[in-house]
Amino acid sequence: MLFKPLAAVSALAVAPLARAVVHEVTVGGSAGLVFTPNQITGAVEGDIIHFTFQAQNHTATQSSFDTPCEMIPKGGFDTGFQPVDAAATSFPTYDLPINGTDPVWVFCAQGTHCQAGMVFAVNAPTEDKTFDRFMANAMGMSSVSMSMPMSTGSTQPTAAAATTAGAATTPTGSGNAASRAVGSMNWKAMGAVALGVVAGAAVV
Ligand SMILES: *[C@@H]1O[C@H](CO)[C@@H](O)[C@H](O)[C@H]1NC(C)=O
Ligand SMILES: *[C@@H]1O[C@H](CO)[C@@H](O)[C@H](O)[C@H]1NC(C)=O
Ligand SMILES: [Cu+2]
């Protein structure tokens, strides 16, 4: 009788150590200009992202959510170019240690691969700074700016969003169901911001 509760407690105590894992990610290869998978969630300190480079000549380079296709100025990681022949049978690898649960944004620095969507993320949030938005930014599918931080994942014009925010439904973007859902939420938030600005202006 006593042993069951004790066993449960000790299992919980060792759980954090047991969770450290190696996440396999293939860069390029027959899948094309992509990281496969293109995101890892739930990674914790001590985990490793194990990149395996296949054809053609790619990098895994750290960027930021706001500038997906630019290496962060200081302290970012960069594998450098890893040219791999299509007929290769052995592949260069790179182990990236994960140091916490903060998002890590990554792109391929070769030519216009990033603009073609060759991006990767670890622990991307499920709201706001999502992987879908990061990828859309990389592909130039949204015009993110400081004044309009919520414009993303949709081709719907900003003016329409402000006027229809209360009844916002599905934006007319071409994203998947997940990014459409986020877009819909964002339009409502945009409406709230717009109304706030209007209200403020009226008082002044
Ligand atoms: C890989 O790409 C880099 C950057 O474009 C280039 O400088 C390098 O020559 C390429 N390597 C090979 C073997 O093609
Ligand atoms: C984690 O820290 C190590 C050592 O400072 C560093 O080389 C590595 O790039 C860091 N990982 C990430 C994802 O930033
Ligand atoms: Cu590439």
Side-chain angles (χ1 to χ4, degrees), residues 53-78:
F53 291 86
Q54 296 190 0
Q56 310 157 12
N57 179 1
H58 304 291
T59 79
T61 305
Q62 190 169 6
S63 64
S64 63
F65 179 83
D66 291 328
T67 52
C69 301
E70 290 173 29
M71 188 177 179
I72 61 172
K74 279 185 186 174
F77 75 90
D78 180 18

Side-chain angles (χ1 to χ4, degrees), residues 27-28 33-35 57-59 108-110 113-114 118:
V27 188
L33 302 183
V34 288
F35 292 81
N57 179 1
H58 304 291
T59 79
C108 173
Q110 179 64 271
H113 290 192
C114 180
M118 193 164 184

Side-chain angles (χ1 to χ4, degrees), residues 65 128 133 143-152 186 190:
F65 179 83
D128 193 24
R133 288 186 61 187
S143 50
V144 174
S145 69
M146 297 312 285
S147 57
M148 289 294 165
M150 293 173 186
S151 172
T152 188
N186 285 345
M190 173 70 83

Side-chain angles (χ1 to χ4, degrees), residues 94-155:
Y94 183 91
D95 282 340
L96 175 67
I98 296 301
N99 305 314
T101 54
D102 287 347
V104 180
W105 308 104
V106 180
F107 73 112
C108 173
Q110 179 64 271
T112 55
H113 290 192
C114 180
Q115 288 78 6
M118 193 164 184
V119 292
F120 171 77
V122 181
N123 293 338
T126 54
E127 288 180 21
D128 193 24
K129 295 187 173 184
T130 63
F131 178 78
D132 283 352
R133 288 186 61 187
F134 176 64
M135 187 183 229
N137 292 350
M139 298 175 81
M141 285 162 60
S142 64
S143 50
V144 174
S145 69
M146 297 312 285
S147 57
M148 289 294 165
M150 293 173 186
S151 172
T152 188
S154 167
T155 56

